[in-house]
Amino acid sequence: MSRVSLLSDLLSSLGARTWFGERAENQPVPVTELTALCAKLVRSKGEATGVRMASEILGGLRALDEAGTERFFRALAEEFSPEAPALKAAAEAYAKDPSPKTLSVLQKLAEPPRQELFRRLNLAPGGTAELVKLRERLLPLLKSDRETFAPVDLDFRHLFQSWFNRGFLVLRPIDWTTPANILEKIIRYEAVHAIDDWDALRDRLAPSDRRCFAFFHPSIPDDPLIFVEVALTRDIPASIGAVLAEDRAALPAHSTDTAVFYSISNCHKGLAGVSFGSFLIKQVASDLKDSLPNLKTFVTLSPVPGFAAWLKRLPEDVVEGFTPEEKAAIAIVADQGLAFDAEWAFETELAEEARDGLLSLAARYFLRAKRSDGQPVDPVARFHLGNGAILNRIMHLGDISPTGLSQAHGLMVNYLYDLARVEQRHEAYADGQEIAASRAVTSLLPAGAGPHSMKDVA
Amino acid sequence: MSRVSLLSDLLSSLGARTWFGERAENQPVPVTELTALCAKLVRSKGEATGVRMASEILGGLRALDEAGTERFFRALAEEFSPEAPALKAAAEAYAKDPSPKTLSVLQKLAEPPRQELFRRLNLAPGGTAELVKLRERLLPLLKSDRETFAPVDLDFRHLFQSWFNRGFLVLRPIDWTTPANILEKIIRYEAVHAIDDWDALRDRLAPSDRRCFAFFHPSIPDDPLIFVEVALTRDIPASIGAVLAEDRAALPAHSTDTAVFYSISNCHKGLAGVSFGSFLIKQVASDLKDSLPNLKTFVTLSPVPGFAAWLKRLPEDVVEGFTPEEKAAIAIVADQGLAFDAEWAFETELAEEARDGLLSLAARYFLRAKRSDGQPVDPVARFHLGNGAILNRIMHLGDISPTGLSQAHGLMVNYLYDLARVEQRHEAYADGQEIAASRAVTSLLPAGAGPHSMKDVA
Amino acid sequence: MSRVSLLSDLLSSLGARTWFGERAENQPVPVTELTALCAKLVRSKGEATGVRMASEILGGLRALDEAGTERFFRALAEEFSPEAPALKAAAEAYAKDPSPKTLSVLQKLAEPPRQELFRRLNLAPGGTAELVKLRERLLPLLKSDRETFAPVDLDFRHLFQSWFNRGFLVLRPIDWTTPANILEKIIRYEAVHAIDDWDALRDRLAPSDRRCFAFFHPSIPDDPLIFVEVALTRDIPASIGAVLAEDRAALPAHSTDTAVFYSISNCHKGLAGVSFGSFLIKQVASDLKDSLPNLKTFVTLSPVPGFAAWLKRLPEDVVEGFTPEEKAAIAIVADQGLAFDAEWAFETELAEEARDGLLSLAARYFLRAKRSDGQPVDPVARFHLGNGAILNRIMHLGDISPTGLSQAHGLMVNYLYDLARVEQRHEAYADGQEIAASRAVTSLLPAGAGPHSMKDVA
Amino acid sequence: MSRVSLLSDLLSSLGARTWFGERAENQPVPVTELTALCAKLVRSKGEATGVRMASEILGGLRALDEAGTERFFRALAEEFSPEAPALKAAAEAYAKDPSPKTLSVLQKLAEPPRQELFRRLNLAPGGTAELVKLRERLLPLLKSDRETFAPVDLDFRHLFQSWFNRGFLVLRPIDWTTPANILEKIIRYEAVHAIDDWDALRDRLAPSDRRCFAFFHPSIPDDPLIFVEVALTRDIPASIGAVLAEDRAALPAHSTDTAVFYSISNCHKGLAGVSFGSFLIKQVASDLKDSLPNLKTFVTLSPVPGFAAWLKRLPEDVVEGFTPEEKAAIAIVADQGLAFDAEWAFETELAEEARDGLLSLAARYFLRAKRSDGQPVDPVARFHLGNGAILNRIMHLGDISPTGLSQAHGLMVNYLYDLARVEQRHEAYADGQEIAASRAVTSLLPAGAGPHSMKDVA
């Protein structure tokens, strides 16, 4: 609110001419007028004028309905792209004579005017946050007509990668003394283990053995970009239920030895593809170690979102070659129809019967199943292994929530971050897609699994 | 310092492998190793690795001597430019078939890898400030070999214009409660009217009728980018001496009616060409008006740095056509040899005799003298008129310091910012180079000056 | 928490001898040991020792049950009072020869050692807040045995009046950006119109036409002492329901003209008798006027807590002399048995019938009914009139909540703060108990009410 | 300034009646009017009125000249003391019947109305700081007429001890990022080793091996109460010159092992007798140890202000019994006339000759010389030994500045704070005046010194 009022103050003190003239309240500005003003903004040299124009354009865009939004992005795609004839001439000139001079002309003409438009829209108070939201509205269109909209999206990403460079981000702890307007966003954005209300939030933040950290951008100080929730424990917990139990007793922080990263949430769809997660985990681990030297182990407690689906799409002949325990497990978990009321998990005997087979199947899933590009099938595994973590443990019945059962037949895993070795591991993974796993995990692989990858059929 | 220690903590907690191996202290890293690590950094996918590499490269660069620096920039120009063969092929493909696909390839290949290098160097703690300093070291080379180094400089500017976008800058007041480490920079950076020591600084900041404001970038929180010093007065002061007099009595702020912007200083050469001045003045004027509604007039008290030189290079036949007063004035100020001990200015009678002629010549200088591009000869005039200000008054004996006398024969001027009209004026100036001037100024023009521009011979 | 951990750090770094020796966890320290350590603390000269002793005593006191608490306070009353024989001798010496010297001895011996004890307990981290809570535990004992405990309470009050001097308090706005640990206390402490949950809290704090301010003591930075909730409105609202309606549309703050103080809550029973309310209202009104010059009217929207009870205890013969409308109103509201499901208020016709009589009775209640000390019967009226406010309006059906109906037959009132005149009015009230009331209120008095006070029988 | 303007805003918004009427500027308010308003303030019940009255009284007091100040304090002594007749009656009543009731009356009447006056003057913005300055003006009068003014001073001290309770003080680091308005006070208040200018200040604060900490009161946030300067070193330095040398190279903080407290300065004479020093040293030592676990030793580098004077006043017959080395040393240092150009200290041979004797004399001075109350003669020794420190080392030529030579013939000493043992040592000292000293110090005592104290003749 203060930013907006600041703007209106600024505008009124500047004499407050509006670009769109008088208009009945709630009457949106037509898209053609918006794009015309965008064109004027890109060409303008008047900097103070620019602030005003940017604000009015962003205001106009906020008011657009879905159809208007699509028309606007289409106009961005068509009218704010490089000018083909001029660029063609420059390309020919460079092709004929690749010199610094022809290169410079080519570069200048190859950059879409959209980028300059976005930079100038950023002049408006609150502009950065608005642009992130604007891209969020582009993403659905991208699915329906990639060819038209991908170039627009590329320009957003190009700018965001520059603006949201790790060097500009600020790490801040989130706790029970954090302002409420930020905390309500933590409730809203939590994507892994939902927070029901403010009491639940306090249980995540206030106890002496809980921590939370978020990255912020200085221009969006009251809205986190990504945050991670951490439980300080003695030993690695065997399930998420144990971590979130309402009636547990909190431990003094200095008596713990393990930091468990049990939830990482990206907050803005509009920043898709601009990644902070790896930096966040390592920075938080490093900061925690500094302030609590008693911490020895840094692990995640992570979901296995692709396991059940992968199991389902395994060709029959492949399953044929599995061990009897594996086949038994498949029979148990498959029998139960929709996984989310999977009764087997709550019947001790059945659950116990499925254990060895499930763990063995999971070992295949993580260590042998590969996408066509050679990477692991599991997206969370790709993220953490890519960060230099090691797959440390697979836990039977680690998450018996409906989501946990339907996605992963109840499995959870730990990825362990050994700060002294993440770099080498990262490189080993990046170079050779070497899956780093503990003995506890590799020993789950059945003898007959062999050394070869299983190409995934997805 | 805290950022650096933070870094070393981070590094040590990460296990602290160094890229350059053991090396005797103060033994600089060879340029070839630096550029090799730069190449590795651009290619690398490991984000945490990147932070470390960036820090070590920046450390290595800091230690380079002048010759090493030049070799490094030369390597940047040669080895981190677009790859000619690939780009050539892409240019030909685009020229043959200008489609989104060929365009996308062309764009990707046209961007110099230097830009990605700079973005990744920014990952290092303190990286943004380091990159600004790095560009500062490039600027002298630009003068000696523009062809080689201009493309490198272009990449710096391209990134800086994005990173130092007005939308990311923070305006902060500077006063006597500002931390000393920032204040010592104000002393160092003041470029217009030097500040001798801390007592002089307090005289500029502490009195009730003094204000100072600076723009900061969030990643460089203890080093201003640009600052402006303001005197609150009753009426527009007739000289800078009156503003800076040591023995003056301070006025209560709420009893003043005029804000005089008497000094604007850019702080970092490395940000040359990335302009903030216009935003700063308007924002400060707007903020001052909000907090002190009694302020009615916003003017600068500005030097006239080009006047004396222009007068000197006027062709004799042109001077021939001037009025007798003008010729007399020229005689008086020219007679005195080196302007900086210009005695005429301190002899009341002589000074009075020169007055009318000098003011008349100044009117020609501002209103008629034009560069080949049609803009005014005076650089300060170009800045303020371009911001939408009006040339409000020319003051005889406004600055009788050695600099004032040698550059401008003692003249100073006011540019007036009428916030309600700066936009229209800015546009009128941008479109038609219309010199906005008050009646007080235009009436100084001698009748015979005519409506036509005088092309400057410089 | 941070204060406490800071303490434990401090203690452990100091070598951490404990005064009470090893003790099974949760095993409270006996009262006799606590008072012995109190005695040691009062006598001790070692300042660092004092911090530790104070912390341990406060810890021990926290763990005492009710009986232990009483024993402790009894010990304070008996063992930490002035020593009678010595004081008696000093009194005799002074009575015989009242000189500076005998006076000084008398003063020294007359001050109970309890005061020094409290001052030294305040050395402990968090000590100030602990002492406030300690007094809260004394208050119930005061009711049962005033003679014993009143002197102890007097010492608390004496110190608190010095420590919580207005000159040390800090006024801070409370809004939706306030830390959650403070906001949860606002929910807990709200004493006038309860706040059900965090959504309700946001409705009180976040809208553009709502404000809240609290006084804090610097040593208790996360716990307010008193706070006031303000609604910005156009015109004075006719009921609390209109102010708190969930579906109302918020007004822009700069378009309002009235600030309504609709709830003032003291937060700590332990500070009973140490008053901040008057300062808070005037400071908030003054600050609001500064930041929103459009505000012209500052009123409370206040309950009338004593009205129904006063009406009930009126002698029959007095009621006999009332007007027919008044008698009718009494009949209507009295008929309904328990007031808190008072149906008459929800039957339009009946409610309308009661209006004139109730307003007339209320005018008698405010303007004529007096306690034996000559002050108005209504405690809220005493507070605001004593602050220099004027009784501005009496509103029929202003609060139809169960509380509003049972205490005040639905009446609410406005007290108006005319900042330019509160001082004179305060003095007129303090000197002559002159009840300042608007014409709108005085004109409600029936003609036969006469100029004389009605002595209240309570 | 902001506090003052805040006040004037507050006053003007309150309608701004002034108590002293119109008055020519710079025309001070007569003392009689000031005391009359003081009397009114003590009696008043109007709290908002009180703020205004307090401000005007403090303003009037600021303007008083010396004679007026004395008249004012005399009025405080005479007119704001307990009323003798009433107090006498209360004393008699208590003497006859010492009951809670008679005690309560006695206490109330024994408290001078001055205390309530001071508490109410504290209501004014900036009141706390003003009252501290007011007491500073009382102190000289105390010397000339103790009988009259001591009771007034007692009331100041009584209140200040309550208000400046350690529990209310805030410890803040002072460094080169501290606001300039605070730093200029550090320059002004430094009482031990003067700071010449801002460059010298930076040398004390900015290097990586320097620290400074101050206690602040929350109501005087820009003016420290006491501060300590610390050098981080390897080993204990042998002289102050080594610590303050301009050309020394700074050490990385984490490579040091010793924290040297080389300067402690009280900032306000008006707080004389309200001591913070002991808390400050222990808190700072504890905080340093927390953040730099490498620190093992905490020592002062202290002057020996009473040594030369004590030596001078030693009776001849006592000196007669000293060792030949001691007599030789006395001859050397006594020969030199005024100590402050004591040439012997700069002549290597002479200085060396004096060494053993001086150290031996110093050992007598610290370990044997006693005041009539049994405490050591040296005031700095009394302070540190009273805090629980141990006399660790005596350094020949530790301070060869004029002050060091004239006061202590060049000696400096270390007091060592062993945090784990300060409490026991404090108690041992407090109980039995046991002088804790290291073997290095006690071994300096000549064999013939014997176990007995030397009563000082001063």
Side-chain angles (χ1 to χ4, degrees), chain A residues 208-282:
Chain A
S208 52
D209 58 354
R210 294 299 140 107
R211 294 291 184 278
C212 179
F213 296 88
F215 268 143
F216 288 83
H217 189 274
S219 292
I220 316 178
D222 52 5
D223 206 348
L225 305 179
I226 186 174
F227 61 91
V228 60
E229 295 164 70
V230 186
L232 306 179
T233 62
R234 291 182 195 136
D235 306 325
I236 301 178
S239 75
I240 186 67
V243 169
L244 297 183
E246 280 186 26
D247 55 352
R248 61 182 199 83
L251 302 169
H254 63 262
S255 78
T256 61
D257 56 21
T258 303
V260 182
F261 297 66
Y262 66 91
S263 180
I264 303 175
S265 300
N266 280 291
C267 304
H268 299 282
K269 285 186 192 155
L271 290 173
V274 185
S275 73
F276 324 107
S278 172
F279 287 117
L280 180 66
I281 293 174
K282 287 165 193 166

Side-chain angles (χ1 to χ4, degrees), chain B residues 1 175-184 198-199 202 206-208, chain D residues 1 175-184 198-199 202 206-208:
Chain B
M1 175 172 50
D175 57 33
W176 193 237
T177 70
T178 297
N181 62 330
I182 291 175
L183 291 186
E184 71 178 342
W198 287 80
D199 288 338
R202 185 171 34 199
S208 51
Chain D
M1 175 172 51
D175 57 33
W176 193 237
T177 70
T178 297
N181 62 330
I182 292 175
L183 291 185
E184 70 179 342
W198 286 81
D199 288 337
R202 184 171 35 201
S208 51

Side-chain angles (χ1 to χ4, degrees), chain C residues 339-405:
Chain C
F340 53 78
D341 56 352
E343 289 164 28
W344 66 267
F346 302 95
E347 294 179 23
T348 316
E349 221 167 306
L350 260 185
E352 204 44 45
E353 225 180 295
R355 168 191 298 269
D356 288 353
L358 279 174
L359 292 174
S360 170
L361 288 163
R364 289 187 198 263
Y365 171 70
F366 281 109
L367 303 177
R368 292 293 176 261
K370 295 285 165 69
R371 297 199 307 193
S372 56
D373 63 357
Q375 293 214 41
V377 172
D378 196 80
V380 176
R382 289 198 298 274
F383 175 73
H384 290 297
L385 295 172
N387 290 340
I390 177 175
L391 178 61
N392 189 59
R393 207 167 60 155
I394 305 177
M395 283 162 293
H396 182 53
L397 303 181
D399 180 4
I400 52 176
S401 72
T403 305
L405 286 168

Side-chain angles (χ1 to χ4, degrees), chain C residues 90-106:
Chain C
E92 282 163 353
Y94 179 81
K96 195 181 297 173
D97 168 26
S99 74
K101 199 166 174 180
T102 54
L103 174 59
S104 159
V105 173
L106 179 66

Side-chain angles (χ1 to χ4, degrees), chain D residues 290-357:
Chain D
D290 271 7
S291 63
L292 291 170
N294 43 295
L295 293 176
K296 305 298 178 207
T297 308
F298 297 85
V299 293
T300 72
L301 186 54
S302 300
V304 191
F307 179 62
W310 168 82
L311 203 57
K312 207 164 197 171
R313 67 175 177 264
L314 277 180
E316 265 187 44
D317 59 327
V318 170
V319 174
E320 204 55 42
F322 284 2
T323 67
E325 289 80 10
E326 290 175 319
K327 288 180 196 161
I330 290 174
I332 291 169
V333 305
D335 267 351
Q336 305 300 323
L338 291 175
F340 54 80
D341 57 351
E343 289 165 27
W344 66 265
F346 303 94
E347 294 179 23
T348 316
E349 220 164 307
L350 259 185
E352 205 44 46
E353 224 181 296
R355 168 191 298 272
D356 288 352

Side-chain angles (χ1 to χ4, degrees), chain B residues 49-96:
Chain B
T49 327
V51 174
R52 177 97 60 84
M53 280 198 257
S55 293
E56 297 207 11
I57 292 168
L58 291 174
L61 292 177
R62 268 196 305 274
L64 286 185
D65 61 11
E66 211 170 305
T69 306
E70 177 166 353
R71 277 204 307 284
F72 174 74
F73 282 125
R74 202 168 289 281
L76 278 197
E78 287 161 6
E79 299 162 31
F80 291 80
S81 285
E83 278 191 64
L87 181 55
K88 197 179 160 198
E92 282 161 356
Y94 179 80
K96 194 182 296 174

Side-chain angles (χ1 to χ4, degrees), chain A residues 198-408:
Chain A
W198 286 81
D199 288 338
L201 178 68
R202 184 172 34 200
D203 285 349
R204 301 265 181 112
L205 301 179
S208 52
D209 58 354
R210 294 299 140 107
R211 294 291 184 278
C212 179
F213 296 88
F215 268 143
F216 288 83
H217 189 274
S219 292
I220 316 178
D222 52 5
D223 206 348
L225 305 179
I226 186 174
F227 61 91
V228 60
E229 295 164 70
V230 186
L232 306 179
T233 62
R234 291 182 195 136
D235 306 325
I236 301 178
S239 75
I240 186 67
V243 169
L244 297 183
E246 280 186 26
D247 55 352
R248 61 182 199 83
L251 302 169
H254 63 262
S255 78
T256 61
D257 56 21
T258 303
V260 182
F261 297 66
Y262 66 91
S263 180
I264 303 175
S265 300
N266 280 291
C267 304
H268 299 282
K269 285 186 192 155
L271 290 173
V274 185
S275 73
F276 324 107
S278 172
F279 287 117
L280 180 66
I281 293 174
K282 287 165 193 166
Q283 179 85 51
V284 167
S286 166
D287 286 9
L288 281 173
K289 203 168 176 52
D290 271 7
S291 63
L292 292 171
N294 44 295
L295 293 176
K296 305 298 178 207
T297 307
F298 297 85
V299 293
T300 72
L301 185 54
S302 301
V304 190
F307 179 61
W310 168 81
L311 202 59
K312 207 165 196 168
R313 69 175 175 263
L314 277 181
E316 265 185 45
D317 59 328
V318 169
V319 175
E320 204 56 41
F322 283 4
T323 66
E325 287 81 10
E326 290 175 320
K327 287 179 195 161
I330 290 174
I332 290 170
V333 305
D335 265 351
Q336 306 299 321
L338 293 174
F340 53 80
D341 57 352
E343 288 165 28
W344 68 265
F346 302 94
E347 293 179 23
T348 315
E349 218 165 309
L350 260 184
E352 205 44 45
E353 224 181 295
R355 168 191 298 270
D356 287 353
L358 279 174
L359 292 173
S360 169
L361 288 165
R364 290 188 197 262
Y365 171 70
F366 282 109
L367 303 177
R368 292 292 175 263
K370 294 286 166 70
R371 296 199 309 191
S372 56
D373 63 358
Q375 294 213 40
V377 172
D378 196 79
V380 175
R382 289 197 299 273
F383 174 74
H384 290 298
L385 296 172
N387 290 339
I390 177 175
L391 178 61
N392 189 60
R393 203 166 62 155
I394 304 177
M395 284 164 291
H396 182 54
L397 301 181
D399 180 4
I400 53 175
S401 72
T403 305
L405 287 168
S406 68
Q407 288 188 345

